Amino acid sequence: MKRIGMLTSGGDCQALNATMRGVVKGLCNMYKDVEIYGFLEGYKGLIRNNYKQLSASDFSGILTKGGTILGSSRQPFKLMDQPTEDGINKVKAMKETYKKLKLDCLVVLGGNGSQKTANLLSEEGLNVIGLPKTIDNDLWGTDMTFGFQSAVDIATTAIDCIHTTAASHNRVFIVEIMGHKVGHITLHAGIAGGADVILLPEIPYDIKCVCKAIEKRSKAGKGFSIIAVAEGAISKEDAALPKKKRKEKLANRPYPSVAYEIAEQIKETCGCEVRIAVPGHTQRGGSPDAFDRVLSSRFGAYAAQLIKDEKYGRLVVLKDNEVTDIALSDSAGKLKYVSPEDSIVQNARMLGISFGDK
Ligand code: F6P
């Protein structure tokens, strides 16, 4: 008999349900009796003792279903030590809910911030297992998070659709892709969609270099260009500012986002027609792709085995195509960035893709 709590925390993604299904299927194959408590809207449900008792049948038929049957919310780690607006001590309340339900383990499906809280609860003595969620693929310690490949597929389709219209009208198109701090989705979708310029938060751009890349294409007789830009792409000039000044400047930027600013600069310098496409939250929506269904099912099954082995305080990860686990404390607080030295960046440069930096 096992009593398991489960929650999905932070921005949603495509394979949350598939991952929970994997955990439950794995457990139900090992134990006759499994009690599952699903906390609603992430840590909020754990804090407020708001849960649904679920049975194995609730996890049937959800492999392909996007979103999360438990709901999600953002509960920033940095605010965990501050009481709720109605005065509840969050960490204390979460521990009480766990103890009241006599849970054997809490399974947390979440990204970077959510796993920091998972680690905190583990340090507070709860049995916790983390599962690496996020379209951004920025969780340290895993080669891949679930949700990433599905998001890359959607962003790639967005670039593909833009390609045909950009070519018909000889326009420059900017496709703005999710990723405030890291550019993994933009990098992968940019390569997959044949973008000519890829702009990432990790490789600050110089608008002159971006324009140079467009003009080089037009001199070569190519009337259109596609720029894949991450939400958090930053100019060299802004990157050089002290953090506080930079934040202030970007918050007061007279454009809705970086894509609009770059569009204006390109229009001015190159005199060409520029259009913008922002797939936005579609990148987190819909069904998980086949890759994510396999990955999340493997992650879920592995988590069930960890529970059986009573190996807690662990984050399930993918390393060299094998599912394994690391200490939650090893990953907590670290982001996995794109490095300009990564071979994938070098490969892209060899294909003639500009990163707007030289
Ligand atoms: O972390 C996932 C993510 O989709 C990021 O890529 C994006 O920057 C952010 O969440 C958007 O957050 P929200 O859904 O709160 O607007």
Side-chain angles (χ1 to χ4, degrees):
M1 156 78 173
K2 284 280 168 195
R3 296 164 74 93
I4 304 302
M6 200 144 52
L7 61 85
T8 53
S9 170
D12 72 341
C13 73
Q14 290 88 346
L16 284 161
N17 290 325
T19 308
M20 290 194 275
R21 170 185 174 271
V23 177
V24 172
K25 271 192 179 288
L27 284 172
C28 290
N29 275 329
M30 293 189 284
Y31 295 96
K32 208 162 156 276
D33 285 326
V34 183
E35 278 184 18
I36 307 148
Y37 297 85
F39 296 104
L40 305 182
E41 294 181 55
Y43 286 112
K44 204 194 262 183
L46 187 62
I47 294 167
R48 305 223 165 240
N49 194 26
N50 189 14
Y51 61 86
K52 268 199 280 206
Q53 199 175 343
L54 300 157
S55 64
S57 65
D58 291 308
F59 295 87
S60 266
I62 62 167
L63 174 63
T64 61
K65 199 175 165 170
T68 158
I69 58 168
L70 297 180
S72 191
S73 67
R74 292 190 190 277
Q75 300 291 320
F77 173 78
K78 61 178 182 210
L79 301 180
M80 275 299 161
D81 60 353
Q82 291 177 29
T84 60
E85 56 293 352
D86 49 345
I88 299 173
N89 178 320
K90 294 173 194 159
V91 177
K92 191 165 165 254
M94 290 194 281
K95 285 165 71 179
E96 276 167 13
T97 304
Y98 180 99
K99 297 223 162 95
K100 199 184 99 200
L101 294 172
K102 299 192 177 64
L103 297 180
D104 291 304
C105 176
L106 174 71
V107 179
V108 174
L109 287 77
N112 184 51
S114 307
Q115 298 304 347
K116 273 202 259 182
T117 301
N119 182 51
L120 171 74
L121 293 176
S122 167
E123 285 172 354
E124 289 282 326
L126 307 191
N127 297 332
V128 185
I129 287 172
L131 283 158
K133 167 235 74 165
T134 170
I135 62 164
D136 294 329
N137 198 29
D138 60 355
L139 197 60
W140 191 92
T142 185
D143 292 345
M144 193 87 74
T145 53
F146 62 84
F148 172 62
Q149 285 295 340
S150 302
V152 168
D153 283 355
I154 294 169
T156 302
T157 303
I159 298 176
D160 288 349
C161 294
I162 290 303
H163 235 116
T164 52
T165 175
S168 306
H169 288 270
N170 278 331
R171 284 171 170 161
V172 170
F173 256 95
I174 302 178
V175 184
E176 187 177 280
I177 295 171
M178 273 190 164
H180 267 302
K181 291 188 180 148
V182 298
H184 294 290
I185 310 176
T186 310
L187 176 59
H188 283 254
I191 295 173
D196 308 297
V197 180
I198 295 178
L199 304 181
L200 308 177
E202 297 92 333
I203 307 179
Y205 64 85
D206 178 341
I207 196 66
K208 288 197 225 93
C209 300
V210 175
C211 292
K212 201 170 79 189
I214 295 167
E215 277 160 1
K216 188 173 161 205
R217 273 179 61 80
S218 99
K219 276 192 196 130
K222 294 176 177 158
F224 75 95
S225 291
I226 307 270
I227 305 176
V229 53
E231 286 173 309
I234 185 163
S235 67
K236 287 188 182 186
E237 192 191 330
D238 290 345
L241 293 173
K243 200 173 166 192
K244 200 169 161 224
K245 271 216 162 136
R246 181 170 68 232
K247 275 194 159 181
E248 256 169 42
K249 185 174 172 200
L250 296 181
N252 296 316
R253 160 160 72 193
Y255 301 99
S257 67
V258 64
Y260 291 82
E261 180 168 13
I262 293 173
E264 279 311 308
Q265 292 167 326
I266 294 173
K267 272 188 225 165
E268 251 174 53
T269 311
C270 307
C272 50
E273 260 197 289
V274 187
R275 293 287 188 276
I276 295 158
V278 185
H281 286 76
T282 63
Q283 292 162 93
R284 293 211 317 236
S287 297
D289 69 0
F291 184 95
D292 268 335
R293 292 180 204 181
V294 175
L295 181 66
S296 55
S297 300
R298 291 177 73 192
F299 278 163
Y302 191 93
Q305 187 61 48
L306 287 179
I307 294 169
K308 174 144 197 280
D309 297 343
E310 298 184 3
K311 200 174 167 195
Y312 301 121
R314 312 295 295 175
L315 176 70
V316 179
V317 297
L318 186 74
K319 267 277 149 216
D320 303 327
N321 216 23
E322 286 302 324
V323 179
T324 179
D325 58 279
I326 60 172
L328 276 169
S329 56
D330 281 349
S331 172
K334 298 182 212 155
L335 274 187
K336 183 182 73 184
Y337 293 99
V338 172
S339 161
E341 312 309 324
D342 285 345
S343 61
I344 183 170
V345 175
Q346 305 307 326
N347 301 153
R349 287 195 197 274
M350 286 174 70
L351 297 171
I353 296 173
S354 165
F355 285 83
D357 58 333
K358 24 184 145 161

